[in-house]
Amino acid sequence: MARVVVEVMLKPEILDPQGKAVQGALSRLGFAGISGVRQGKRFELEIDGELTPERITQLHDVAATLLANPVIEDFAVHAGEASGRAR
Amino acid sequence: MARVVVEVMLKPEILDPQGKAVQGALSRLGFAGISGVRQGKRFELEIDGELTPERITQLHDVAATLLANPVIEDFAVHAGEASGRAR
């Protein structure tokens, strides 16, 4: 069992109204000094068996065709990442 | 100018119907061997000035109060992360 993380963000040249809304809310609520916010998606995939190079190539295809829209989004595939989150 | 990444995922014990839908679609579309999918959010914040320890504490508060709902979500704050995304 392996874990793969796929991160999907809008390309830098694409407007991100969701991120802009978050940025506006942060400054309204008193958190100053934040000059930009972009919001994207994060997928954690549990993979059966070993992570072979062919498997990673297949996961790249999954990310490019189903998880991200390559016309407007960039993505990154990180293999075997642990999830160390607070709280 | 520094970049901070905040990752927000549903806690493991919380059902994730969005991730389940993605998982179902993946197996329907012929990508076998994926036994679990969880979908979360990823924020990239551009911070003015230096990333001092106080600043990182403040960003933790931002993440805990505004970007994540700590009742149902875990989050992680990564300081100074580069965005190396494909395509």
Side-chain angles (χ1 to χ4, degrees):
Chain A
M1 187 84 97
R3 166 164 298 176
V4 171
V5 172
V6 178
E7 295 171 349
V8 179
M9 299 295 292
L10 283 171
K11 286 182 191 285
E13 64 268 27
I14 306 286
L15 281 179
D16 179 5
Q18 206 174 10
K20 278 273 172 239
V22 171
Q23 187 184 346
L26 290 179
S27 63
R28 253 196 331 276
L29 290 162
F31 293 98
I34 296 173
S35 57
V37 178
R38 312 272 299 168
Q39 182 173 349
K41 285 176 283 188
R42 185 172 187 280
F43 297 91
E44 288 183 0
L45 311 180
E46 296 282 345
I47 310 298
D48 294 333
E50 285 297 299
L51 262 189
T52 59
E54 302 86 62
R55 209 87 180 79
I56 291 176
T57 307
Q58 185 204 24
L59 287 167
H60 253 276
D61 294 345
V62 167
T65 55
L66 299 168
L67 302 181
N69 175 358
V71 177
I72 57 167
E73 289 170 330
D74 288 329
F75 66 90
V77 178
H78 302 285
E81 199 154 294
S83 64
R85 274 186 299 285
R87 270 177 243 189
Chain B
M1 188 85 95
R3 166 165 297 177
V4 171
V5 173
V6 179
E7 295 171 349
V8 179
M9 299 295 291
L10 283 172
K11 286 181 191 285
E13 64 268 28
I14 306 286
L15 282 178
D16 179 6
Q18 205 173 8
K20 279 273 172 235
V22 172
Q23 186 184 347
L26 290 178
S27 63
R28 252 195 334 276
L29 291 161
F31 293 99
I34 295 174
S35 58
V37 178
R38 311 271 301 169
Q39 183 173 349
K41 287 176 281 188
R42 186 173 187 279
F43 297 90
E44 288 183 0
L45 311 180
E46 297 282 346
I47 309 298
D48 295 332
E50 287 295 300
L51 261 190
T52 58
E54 301 84 65
R55 210 87 179 80
I56 291 177
T57 307
Q58 186 204 25
L59 287 167
H60 253 277
D61 293 345
V62 166
T65 54
L66 300 167
L67 303 181
N69 175 357
V71 176
I72 58 166
E73 289 170 329
D74 288 328
F75 66 90
V77 178
H78 302 285
E81 199 154 292
S83 64
R85 273 186 302 283
R87 269 175 244 186

